[in-house]
């Protein structure tokens, strides 16, 4: 059931920074064909700069997680949100049949919690406007004060093996839910008004 909706290629592309890059996704997401576009140190500006590399793969599904490195560069919440919105709008325009999943910016040290919550609130509201799914990772990854769960990290930012398992435990069912939906949008075909082809 639902196979008629699926694009020809079932490839999943993961886009992000070192958090994404560091995952052994073939092991963490068995059954998925994963292409990892995680790049250590990447900010939202960097993702925009290399977005065509992602678009050219024409994947069935894109899962995006980006933004934490911008905070280290003291970028504003507005800057980060605007850039992620630009990424999402561009993906939707260029890949109308691709399912898109926006993942909340991960918790890190609790001193960043208010900014990250603000970013995530904006992204949660924006995702439906580009027919993208939303995955809130905070319930699984954060403590009450917004600190990344110490069981999942050694440095309050990067994930250890337990952290990746916790993330994958949220990501796998989110991908399944997204795959069960009809295509996110259709390419617009104009009526043939002139009779020429």
């Amino acid at each position: 059931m639902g196979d008629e909706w699926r694009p020809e290629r079932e490839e999943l592309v993961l886009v992000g920074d070192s958090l994404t890059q560091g995952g052994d996704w073939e092991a963490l997401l068995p059954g998925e064909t994963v292409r990892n576009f995680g790049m250590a140190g990447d900010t939202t500006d960097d993702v925009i700069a290399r977005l065509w590399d992602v678009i050219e793969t024409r994947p069935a599904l894109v899962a995006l997680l980006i933004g934490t490195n911008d905070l280290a560069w003291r970028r504003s919440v507005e800057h980060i949100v605007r850039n992620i919105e630009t990424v999402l709008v561009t993906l939707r325009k260029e890949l109308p049949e691709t399912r898109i999943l926006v993942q909340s910016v991960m918790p890190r040290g609790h001193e960043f919690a208010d900014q990250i919550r603000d970013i995530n609130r904006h992204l949660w509201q924006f995702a439906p406007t580009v027919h993208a799914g939303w995955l809130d990772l905070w319930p699984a990854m954060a403590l009450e004060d917004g600190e990344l769960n110490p069981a999942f990290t050694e440095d309050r930012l990067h994930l250890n093996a337990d952290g990746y398992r916790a993330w994958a435990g949220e990501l796998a069912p989110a991908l399944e839910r997204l795959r069960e939906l009809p295509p996110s949008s259709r390419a617009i075909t104009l009526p043939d008004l002139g009779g020429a082809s």
Side-chain angles (χ1 to χ4, degrees), residues 61-129:
L61 205 147
V62 173
L64 174 71
L65 173 61
I66 195 69
T68 200
N69 288 326
D70 293 72
L71 295 169
W73 289 98
R74 302 197 186 289
R75 303 279 192 266
S76 68
V77 166
E78 291 75 20
H79 176 90
I80 298 166
V81 169
R82 188 172 59 246
N83 276 359
I84 296 173
E85 289 176 354
T86 297
V87 168
L88 294 172
V89 167
T90 305
L91 288 172
R92 174 51 64 226
K93 178 173 175 285
E94 300 299 330
L95 300 171
E97 294 291 317
T98 296
R99 292 170 176 85
I100 300 171
L101 181 67
V102 186
Q103 300 171 88
S104 63
V105 177
M106 279 275 189
R108 53 185 295 177
H110 65 82
E111 63 273 19
F112 293 99
D114 288 345
Q115 287 173 286
I116 297 174
R117 282 193 187 103
D118 201 9
I119 293 164
N120 288 340
R121 194 166 28 253
H122 285 287
L123 297 180
W124 168 73
Q125 291 172 329
F126 186 78
T129 70

Side-chain angles (χ1 to χ4, degrees), residues 131-150:
H131 305 286
W134 169 254
L135 174 57
D136 183 4
L137 294 168
W138 276 53
M141 306 299 291
L143 300 181
E144 195 67 36
D145 66 354
E147 178 89 14
L148 177 59
N149 188 327

Side-chain angles (χ1 to χ4, degrees), residues 147-192:
E147 178 89 14
L148 177 59
N149 188 327
F152 298 154
T153 183
E154 272 74 56
D155 65 0
R156 306 172 79 221
L157 174 61
H158 298 96
L159 300 177
N160 60 24
D162 287 339
Y164 277 107
R165 278 192 289 274
W167 180 5
E170 300 298 309
L171 182 54
L175 294 172
E176 282 310 305
R177 284 193 302 274
L178 208 56
R179 280 207 165 94
E180 289 165 9
L181 300 174
S184 302
S185 69
R186 290 266 177 216
I188 297 168
T189 50
L190 297 173
D192 182 4

